[in-house]
Amino acid sequence: MATVNRQFTHVVVEQPGEPSVMTMTQSTLAMPTEGQVTIKVYAAGVNGPDIKQRVGAYPPPADASPIIGLEVAGEIVAVADDVTQWQVGDKVCALVPGGGYAELVNTYAAHCLPIPTGYSFVQAAALPETFFTVWGNLFIRGGLNAGETVLIHGGSGGIGTTAIQMASRLGATVFATSGSAEKCQYCLDQGASVAINYNEQHFVEPILEATNGLGVNVIMDIAGGDFINENLKAISTDGRMVSVAMQRGPQANVDIFRIMAKRVIWTGSTLRPQSVANKALIAQGLAEFVWPLLNSGKMSIPIDSVFPFSQVVQAHELMESGTHKGKIVLDLQADPC
């Protein structure tokens, strides 16, 4: 195992609250344990769960780092003795169980993927969390296949952008919703066939019209709340609905008969608490089916904004504003702390 300086700078949240509660401190990182690697972080993605953790609504699992951050890109600087698929010096992007807003992080070797061809660290850091989320939910749990139709809510966000591109490139017809004409055009630019502004138009009718009354085969829902029953109107017989967030609320008054009549399968998941083995299976699927699309340039996830590490507060403020289109990334090489 390589020797590396384990002192590192990272974000700390002393008390849950507004973005300004985030400050910087230094700590010593433990050596990687069985199956793990240490990554020197050059860039880290900013995601919705990071906001929830900062405000105290999404505590990390007991065995995870309490430091915010779920995805990084950088260079492997240490490996556990049993790790054979990666070596010191390899450039990777990775899903991490926590600890991403830091100069060093430990994560599992099986949750690392190579930097796609032509990608910078900043671009690569925008991939893991949303790609693992979309593949695990839309393709594994939702079973989306080529030739099917899918509705993706929140199409202009990080998860939505990834889902639109992944589904369309793998042969599905994509319908998307978003909250403005500009964001709807963005969804079309990413590969959606139809984009609906839910602030101006009810989404059920145009979907039923476009599918000759059949509805869509799969719905990837980040809304929850009052959208659930509307989803059940827009979904096809034997359709699958996958819940991945609850932006319109965690409670829904559900028409159970409609689920029964249409034989709808309703599932969902959160990524972070899943087992190491489950996340490794997701990584394998991404490597086999999605990374070739990235390497060939057929997929390219837009980045809305890049902030130096020292401006993590501003990055969270932008994320909370909801005005971004695509991903937000922290660049740790811009102004090392």
Side-chain angles (χ1 to χ4, degrees):
M1 183 183 296
T3 300
V4 60
N5 183 359
R6 312 302 291 185
Q7 286 292 122
F8 71 110
T9 299
H10 62 87
V11 168
V12 64
V13 177
E14 296 291 351
Q15 295 290 335
E18 297 298 316
S20 59
V21 302
M22 293 184 294
T23 58
M24 298 286 182
T25 192
Q26 281 203 331
S27 298
T28 301
L29 186 71
M31 297 299 292
T33 58
E34 183 179 352
Q36 291 188 334
V37 300
T38 300
I39 299 172
K40 181 175 177 58
V41 179
Y42 295 139
V46 177
N47 297 283
D50 303 347
I51 307 300
K52 292 181 180 179
Q53 181 174 337
R54 193 201 73 228
V55 301
Y58 192 49
D63 59 348
S65 169
I67 300 169
I68 296 174
L70 299 175
E71 61 182 348
V72 302
E75 180 179 351
I76 292 177
V77 293
V79 299
D81 292 338
D82 64 325
V83 171
T84 58
Q85 66 266 54
W86 300 108
Q87 298 179 346
V88 170
D90 285 343
K91 311 297 192 297
V92 297
C93 57
L95 187 75
V96 299
Y101 291 11
E103 292 178 326
L104 292 173
V105 66
N106 290 331
T107 194
Y108 290 94
H111 302 167
C112 298
L113 288 158
I115 302 288
T117 303
Y119 273 55
S120 67
F121 289 114
V122 165
Q123 290 172 306
L127 301 176
E129 202 273 341
T130 52
F131 275 61
F132 274 73
T133 296
V134 171
W135 186 260
N137 283 286
L138 192 55
F139 290 89
I140 294 179
R141 301 192 69 82
L144 182 65
N145 293 306
E148 291 191 310
T149 52
V150 58
L151 169 60
I152 296 165
H153 288 304
S156 62
I159 288 177
T161 297
T162 303
I164 290 172
Q165 286 206 22
M166 202 180 290
S168 62
R169 289 0 173 232
L170 291 172
T173 299
V174 178
F175 300 83
T177 67
S178 201
S180 71
E182 180 185 9
K183 288 184 176 181
C184 284
Q185 182 57 54
Y186 172 88
C187 293
L188 295 173
D189 293 341
Q190 301 313 307
S193 298
V194 175
I196 303 159
N197 181 351
Y198 57 76
N199 285 321
E200 293 185 352
Q201 184 180 19
H202 201 275
F203 66 83
V204 174
E205 288 76 12
I207 287 174
L208 292 177
E209 181 179 351
T211 58
N212 296 316
L214 297 176
V216 291
N217 301 116
V218 181
I219 295 177
M220 186 169 179
D221 182 68
I222 67 165
D226 59 331
F227 267 34
I228 296 300
N229 270 336
E230 302 310 300
N231 288 342
L232 294 175
K233 297 174 184 176
I235 203 166
S236 68
T237 300
D238 294 314
R240 291 91 72 196
M241 180 167 65
V242 187
S243 293
V244 298
M246 304 162 290
Q247 293 183 358
R248 296 176 74 93
Q251 303 295 326
N253 184 14
V254 178
D255 184 349
I256 297 174
F257 180 75
R258 199 179 294 272
I259 294 177
M260 296 165 58
K262 290 188 172 184
R263 302 188 296 274
V264 172
I265 296 173
W266 182 11
T267 183
S269 74
T270 55
L271 180 61
R272 195 175 192 182
Q274 292 188 46
S275 69
V276 174
N278 278 357
K279 294 175 187 175
L281 285 174
I282 296 173
Q284 290 172 17
L286 290 171
E288 181 177 355
F289 296 104
V290 179
W291 246 242
L293 298 174
L294 293 169
N295 288 328
S296 66
K298 293 179 180 178
M299 284 187 67
S300 179
I301 300 304
I303 294 176
D304 181 277
S305 301
V306 179
F307 291 87
F309 194 28
S310 60
Q311 294 181 16
V312 62
V313 169
Q314 291 89 330
H316 271 227
E317 289 172 344
L318 175 60
M319 172 65 76
E320 289 186 299
S321 75
T323 60
H324 61 290
K325 300 185 294 295
K327 293 284 293 197
I328 300 169
V329 179
L330 299 172
D331 185 355
L332 277 72
Q333 294 181 298
D335 60 350
C337 298

